[in-house]
Amino acid sequence: MDNLFTYSLYGVTAVLLAISYVKDRNKTMLSLKRAWKMFINVLPQFISILFLAGLLLAAVSPETIQYVIGAQSGFRGMLTAALLGAVTLVPVLVAFPVAARLLQNGAGVTQTAVFISTLTMVGFVTLPMEIKYLGKKAAVLRNALAFLFSFAAAFLIGALLT
């Protein structure tokens, strides 16, 4: 089933790329060149973060993952996962393979969902920069609301997937 979905996305992408190419060959080629350049620029970071995540997952046993953020860890595990996500600064592109490995190693669905949600929406590490550009009140409020929303989203995902 997963492969069917993946291949469907590839098919839709290929069709849309062909339509774009027929409509405007120059813009499509320029877009592909820019995308390739972005890919090459991100690739070293992507590989190094995946490598570090792999080392971390190899060093931490599935039993530990299950104890700390497994389904049986309940709200304590959700809070732990949320705090880890809030302080982790990795590209979102890397977050999903890491989440998949966490799930394979015993992490709970709800705990993984709150981890991904806080990882992508809450920026503890980037808070000083947000304060500089948005102001203290707006930055803190945005992060606090995103942190709370992450729990709501995780509970919903947990209810739908478990």
Side-chain angles (χ1 to χ4, degrees), residues 12 15 20 24 46 59 61 64 78 85 99 114 123 126-127 135 138 141-142 149:
V12 168
V15 168
S20 175
D24 191 334
F46 182 73
S61 71
T64 303
M78 287 182 69
V114 78
T126 59
L127 188 59
L141 184 62
R142 188 204 69 75
F149 176 77

Side-chain angles (χ1 to χ4, degrees), residues 2 5 10 33 42-43 48 52 54 66 87 91 128-129 136 161:
D2 290 336
F5 181 73
Y10 286 147
K33 287 177 185 173
V42 170
L43 190 60
S48 63
L52 289 173
Q66 199 168 22
V87 300
M129 184 181 67
K136 186 175 184 177
L161 297 179

Side-chain angles (χ1 to χ4, degrees), residues 73-93:
S73 66
F75 188 76
R76 174 190 50 81
M78 287 182 69
L79 188 59
T80 301
L83 292 172
L84 284 171
V87 300
T88 304
L89 185 61
V90 297
V92 176
L93 189 63

Side-chain angles (χ1 to χ4, degrees), residues 6-24 28 32:
T6 301
Y7 292 136
S8 298
L9 285 178
Y10 286 147
V12 168
T13 302
V15 168
L16 292 174
L17 183 62
I19 291 169
S20 175
Y21 187 79
V22 168
K23 187 172 179 180
D24 191 334
T28 302
L32 288 172

